[in-house]
């Protein structure tokens, strides 16, 4: 089943606007739920997100206030939540630091996309199954 819900975790309002507009242009049926930091997204997943068993994709920025992307991934990795069993994470970041890319790989993320989001960079992830 293709992705039908995206959890967008990014504190950059302009980037979020552009990402949401692009995703809606590609597939207006995809539900997009934005959060401004990792803590908001994690709280949602703990309280509500796990009850909605859909084909999910998390687009995760690295640099955010409160809880950054790596702290979010660490929380998921160290928790007993089964988030990783039904959600795939793609890093969406303006960072091109090789250390960030290597650190992201250590969490077994699905991919790493440089901002701004482009149709050719997200389309592959939207059609993945499972």
């Amino acid at each position: 089943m293709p992705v039908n819900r995206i959890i967008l975790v990014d504190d950059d309002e302009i980037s979020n606007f552009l990402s949401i507009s692009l995703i809606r242009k590609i597939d207006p049926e995809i539900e997009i739920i934005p959060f401004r930091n990792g803590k908001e997204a994690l709280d949602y997943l703990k309280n509500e997100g796990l009850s909605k068993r859909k084909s999910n994709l998390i687009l995760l920025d690295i640099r955010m206030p409160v809880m950054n992307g790596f702290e979010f991934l660490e929380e998921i990795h160290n928790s007993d939540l089964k988030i990783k069993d039904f959600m795939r994470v793609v890093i969406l970041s303006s960072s091109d630091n090789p250390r960030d890319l290597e650190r992201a790989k250590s969490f077994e993320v699905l991919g790493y996309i440089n901002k701004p989001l482009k149709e050719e960079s997200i389309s592959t992830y939207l059609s993945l199954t499972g």
Side-chain angles (χ1 to χ4, degrees):
M1 169 180 5
V3 169
N4 54 28
R5 179 171 65 170
I6 293 177
I7 309 294
L8 178 60
V9 189
D10 192 342
D11 65 317
D12 183 335
E13 289 182 35
I14 294 170
S15 179
N16 285 347
F17 175 80
L18 294 172
S19 295
I20 290 169
S21 298
L22 175 66
I23 294 164
R24 288 203 171 122
K25 178 183 150 213
I26 295 169
D27 186 345
E29 299 299 313
I30 294 175
E31 177 185 12
I32 305 167
I33 305 171
F35 296 99
R36 297 188 48 81
N37 62 65
K39 182 169 181 350
E40 289 178 1
L42 192 61
D43 289 345
Y44 169 78
L45 292 170
K46 286 179 180 177
N47 297 320
E48 299 176 44
L50 294 176
S51 64
K52 296 180 180 178
R53 301 268 180 202
K54 294 185 174 186
S55 179
N56 298 283
L57 183 67
I58 298 175
L59 292 178
L60 180 67
D61 189 19
I62 294 174
R63 310 231 185 284
M64 298 175 285
V66 183
M67 177 186 280
N68 69 40
F70 290 126
E71 292 167 334
F72 174 85
L73 291 169
E74 192 72 38
E75 282 286 323
I76 290 174
H77 180 75
N78 291 330
S79 77
D80 59 353
L81 293 173
K82 299 299 180 197
I83 295 170
K84 56 189 167 208
D85 293 344
F86 66 95
M87 292 204 151
R88 293 153 303 180
V89 177
V90 174
I91 301 293
L92 176 61
S93 179
S94 56
S95 172
D96 58 0
N97 185 325
R99 285 182 288 180
D100 288 340
L101 182 57
E102 284 305 308
R103 189 167 179 201
K105 287 179 184 177
S106 73
F107 288 103
E108 299 178 16
V109 297
L110 193 59
Y112 194 104
I113 298 173
N114 285 316
K115 289 181 185 178
L117 190 63
K118 296 178 181 78
E119 186 168 351
E120 58 271 12
S121 59
I122 190 64
S123 292
T124 301
Y125 300 111
L126 295 180
S127 63
L128 292 175
T129 59

